[in-house]
Amino acid sequence: MRIPDEKLAEVFDQGFTVVEGFLDKTTLKDAQDALWEIYPRPEAYFADPQTYAKFTRSQFAGLRFFPYPSWALNKVPVYPDLIDAAERFLQTKEVDCYKIELWAKYAGAIDYDQTHHRDYDNHTIVVPRADQVMPQMTCFILLSDVTELDGPTKAVPLDKSRHIPIGISQTKVGDFAADEVAVTGPAGSMLIYKTDVFHRGSNFQAPGRSRFVMPVDFKARGWRWQGKLAWPNQAINPGWKQAMVNMTPRQRDVFGWPPAGDAYWNDQTLSDVALRYPGIDLTPYGAKAPAIAEA
Ligand SMILES: O=C(O)CCC(=O)C(=O)O
C-alpha cells in the first residue's frame, strides 16, 4: 500500500511509525514461503533446537544479508511502495538502498533483550542532525505476526529522549522502561524509524515463539558519510544475478546501477554487462532490441 503522508510525518514527529498491511497478501505469502529455504520452520526448530545450535551463538546469529536464493524475498526490499516512501521521506528521487537483512529469532535460543540505543553508530560515521535534515529511513518489514510475546522492537518516542544529546547512542538497562512502545502488528506490517530514535530488541515472553523480519534502510544519494553495506561485495552471492535481471531500471537504480543515459553505457559495457547477467533486458540503457524472427 502507498504509505500515507501522515505516517511519514509521524516518523519526523515521533521518530517512528507502524504501517499495518503494507505488503500485499501475495508478496507476503511468497516471501514467507521462501524463508524456509534459509531458516528452519518454527516447527522444525522447536522439535530439535540442538540441531540449530548456531542460533544460540549471539542475538545476531539469525541475520542474513541480501541477496537471497529466491526472487520472492529479493523483490521485497524493492517493493515499489517502499521506494516511493523512501523518495517522499528523503525528499528526492535519488535514493540509495544501503542495507538489506533478514533476521530470524527463535524463543529460547538466546536472550534477545537489548538496552535502548540509537542505530546511527553503524549507519553513519558521524551523527544524525537534530534538525532532522539529511535523515536516513530505516525500516523493519514484519514477515511474521509480532505480538507482545514475540520479542517486539521497543521504540521510545522522540519527545521522551530529546534531552539526551544525539552524540550519546546507548542507555543503561531500565532507562525508558516506562516510555517504550512495543512495535507489534500482523505480518506484512512495517516499522519505519530514524537513526536517532532510541529503541531496543526485546526477548520472547513465551516458549515456542519465533519472529522473522526484513530490515531495509534508505538514504539520500550523496551523503557519503551514511551507509552500511557495499553492494559490489554482495554481488558474488547466490541470488544477486537473478535479482538484477528481474528488477526494473528503477529498482536497480537504488543499488547504484548506472541509469539509462549515463555516460557509463557504451557498446562495450552493454555487451559485457549482458554477458555477466544472462537474460537481462538492457534496451532501456541503449542495447538494440533483439530482431524478431520472421515466421
Ligand atoms: O530486533 C529488534 O527488534 C531490534 C534490534 C536492534 O535494534 C538492533 O540490534 O540494533
Side-chain angles (χ1 to χ4, degrees):
M1 66 179 268
R2 182 178 194 271
I3 297 189
D5 289 338
E6 308 80 69
K7 285 287 185 188
L8 295 180
E10 195 172 37
V11 185
F12 286 104
D13 294 343
Q14 177 179 248
F16 62 93
T17 194
V18 183
V19 183
E20 282 201 13
F22 175 63
L23 291 183
D24 68 84
K25 287 194 169 60
T26 307
T27 302
L28 173 63
K29 171 78 171 56
D30 292 350
Q32 289 175 319
D33 290 344
L35 284 174
W36 318 131
E37 296 168 10
I38 300 172
Y39 298 116
R41 290 175 187 269
E43 312 85 86
Y45 178 87
F46 291 110
D48 186 11
Q50 300 296 347
T51 303
Y52 307 104
K54 62 184 175 197
F55 291 102
T56 65
R57 280 190 214 132
S58 95
Q59 292 183 343
F60 306 101
L63 277 175
R64 302 282 179 278
F65 286 127
F66 183 94
Y68 308 106
S70 160
W71 174 238
L73 284 166
N74 290 335
K75 70 181 184 185
V76 174
V78 288
Y79 195 62
D81 286 328
L82 182 53
I83 296 178
D84 169 70
E87 290 173 353
R88 286 157 54 222
F89 182 85
L90 299 168
Q91 295 183 31
T92 174
K93 298 267 181 209
E94 296 281 303
V95 299
D96 292 325
C97 179
Y98 70 86
K99 192 259 287 163
I100 303 165
E101 295 165 320
L102 277 173
W103 199 348
K105 294 183 179 182
Y106 298 89
I110 196 165
D111 182 351
Y112 291 100
D113 258 329
Q114 298 178 334
T115 53
H116 292 99
H117 56 276
R118 289 167 159 155
D119 266 356
Y120 71 75
D121 267 343
N122 55 5
H123 290 244
T124 175
I125 53 175
V126 282
V127 300
R129 283 178 56 143
D131 61 7
Q132 316 222 44
V133 171
M134 304 179 184
Q136 289 161 257
M137 187 177 103
T138 45
C139 309
F140 270 40
I141 301 173
L142 309 187
L143 296 178
S144 58
D145 295 344
V146 179
T147 70
E148 292 273 359
L149 301 180
D150 301 312
T153 310
K154 306 237 173 142
V156 180
L158 279 180
D159 61 354
K160 307 287 187 197
S161 66
R162 279 212 179 85
H163 59 286
I164 302 186
I166 301 270
I168 293 174
S169 62
Q170 302 281 336
T171 59
K172 298 189 299 304
V173 178
D175 285 357
F176 297 127
D179 300 319
E180 64 182 19
V181 176
V183 175
T184 57
S189 304
M190 180 163 73
L191 161 70
I192 309 176
Y193 65 108
K194 294 194 300 111
T195 54
D196 59 346
V197 169
F198 280 105
H199 66 285
R200 67 185 188 92
S202 72
N203 203 15
F204 292 92
Q205 298 302 314
R209 318 286 302 192
S210 51
R211 194 195 75 165
F212 301 89
V213 299
M214 179 182 273
V216 184
D217 303 331
F218 289 87
K219 67 183 195 61
R221 188 160 292 159
W223 312 132
R224 62 183 187 271
W225 46 90
Q226 304 175 345
K228 192 152 179 176
L229 290 185
W231 294 122
N233 196 43
Q234 304 302 110
I236 53 168
N237 293 330
W240 176 271
K241 279 190 187 181
Q242 198 57 45
M244 290 299 125
V245 169
N246 288 359
M247 283 183 196
T248 63
R250 177 71 196 110
Q251 291 172 318
R252 288 183 203 119
D253 184 281
V254 301
F255 292 87
W257 186 279
D262 194 274
Y264 169 78
W265 295 111
N266 60 25
D267 287 346
Q268 176 263 314
T269 56
L270 288 167
S271 159
D272 288 321
V273 171
L275 283 177
R276 181 171 178 183
Y277 291 94
I280 196 166
D281 175 12
L282 293 178
T283 53
Y285 308 99
K288 287 189 188 61
I292 299 168
E294 295 203 8

